[in-house]
Amino acid sequence: GEDVEQSLFLSVREGDSSVINCTYTDSSSTYLYWYKQEPGAGLQLLTYIFSNMDMKQDQRLTVLLNKKDKHLSLRIADTQTGDSAIYFCAESIEGNKLVFGAGTILRVKS
Amino acid sequence: NAGVTQTPKFQVLKTGQSMTLQCAQDMNHNSMYWYRQDPGMGLRLIYYSASEGTTDKGEVPNGYNVSRLNKREFSLRLESAAPSQTSVYFCASSEGRREKLFFGSGTQLSVL
């Protein structure tokens, strides 16, 4: 079945880069997404990448996709305390569904 | 800009009670979804509605029913609540299939 895996926790210092990793299983995924969840709030779409792309950059965010290894990463440059949140990786699969990972808690120390 | 609105934000139920979670979106989206979020398990899809008039089961539908009342509204009903249904529930919508989702702010439900 479909499965998306992420590491559970990442701690970085303010100003450093953060890299959050994700692996997925469905090779037919057309889109892969990164969502951010702040405390007490719903998920907000951060960025997404189409499966025929290797990289997408959006200001401080860089998404890298290794389709051969089914590996997705999100790099946040110059991480700020406001970036502290839970980050979810998700893949789109057949049947009108997104499958989410369990989320990575990012803690930014000032 | 309201986006996706869920009510209520918090609810406490006793085992066996029933309740309906309401969701409405004002983005004219075709598809709507109900997810539950449990610690360490990410989001799991309960039910979805690809378009007005259709509903389909997701990964964890047991104990729930849904109604797509019109294009804007998609409700989730617990007929006889159980402690295993204690969770945070999120409604979401998207323009079409496999499109990016827009989420509501969630309903925290506790079943005692």
Side-chain angles (χ1 to χ4, degrees):
Chain A
E2 311 88 13
D3 199 14
V4 177
E5 295 193 355
Q6 303 177 234
S7 52
L8 289 182
F9 186 77
L10 176 65
S11 180
V12 300
R13 292 187 188 279
E14 191 174 20
D16 287 350
S17 291
S18 307
V19 179
I20 303 171
N21 294 301
C22 168
T23 56
Y24 61 97
T25 55
D26 192 329
S27 57
S28 68
S29 295
T30 52
Y31 286 98
L32 294 129
Y33 301 87
W34 285 104
Y35 283 83
K36 177 183 180 183
Q37 185 182 30
E38 295 181 355
L43 278 69
Q44 283 185 297
L45 179 66
L46 262 186
T47 187
Y48 62 96
I49 188 167
F50 191 54
S51 59
N52 68 353
M53 298 169 65
D54 297 324
M55 185 182 90
K56 181 180 179 182
Q57 189 145 0
D58 184 1
Q59 298 182 331
R60 292 191 297 122
L61 305 178
T62 303
V63 179
L64 294 177
L65 175 60
N66 181 330
K67 205 170 176 186
K68 175 176 166 289
D69 295 338
K70 296 178 189 165
H71 183 266
L72 183 73
S73 68
L74 173 70
R75 179 176 179 269
I76 306 172
D78 187 25
T79 313
Q80 303 297 307
T81 54
D83 295 322
S84 292
I86 305 175
Y87 291 80
F88 291 91
C89 169
E91 61 169 340
S92 65
I93 62 171
E94 292 294 336
N96 201 49
K97 291 193 293 185
L98 288 193
V99 177
F100 287 84
T104 299
I105 299 170
L106 175 63
R107 179 182 159 213
V108 182
K109 296 179 284 187
S110 57
Chain B
N1 293 334
V4 179
T5 304
Q6 288 182 237
T7 55
K9 290 194 183 303
F10 301 95
Q11 184 71 48
V12 179
L13 293 177
K14 293 182 181 177
T15 297
Q17 286 185 315
S18 62
M19 79 159 295
T20 301
L21 280 64
Q22 307 286 353
C23 175
Q25 51 92 9
D26 62 3
M27 295 173 282
N28 202 37
H29 284 167
N30 289 312
S31 301
M32 297 185 74
Y33 311 81
W34 277 104
Y35 285 89
R36 60 178 287 173
Q37 183 181 26
D38 300 294
M41 300 188 76
L43 276 78
R44 292 182 291 169
L45 182 64
I46 304 171
Y47 270 93
Y48 66 97
S49 170
S51 60
E52 188 179 353
T54 69
T55 61
D56 286 287
K57 294 178 180 179
E59 187 183 349
V60 288
N62 291 344
Y64 305 96
N65 284 303
V66 290
S67 295
R68 184 74 183 266
L69 303 169
N70 47 55
K71 193 171 186 181
R72 289 187 65 247
E73 298 172 288
F74 188 39
S75 63
L76 178 72
R77 183 160 178 83
L78 287 72
E79 289 291 351
S80 178
S84 61
Q85 294 178 304
T86 294
S87 188
V88 181
Y89 291 84
F90 288 100
C91 178
S93 69
S94 65
E95 195 167 305
R97 293 180 173 219
R98 307 174 77 170
E99 298 270 344
K100 48 188 177 284
L101 300 180
F102 293 82
F103 283 83
S105 56
T107 296
Q108 192 165 323
L109 176 67
S110 294
V111 183
L112 306 177

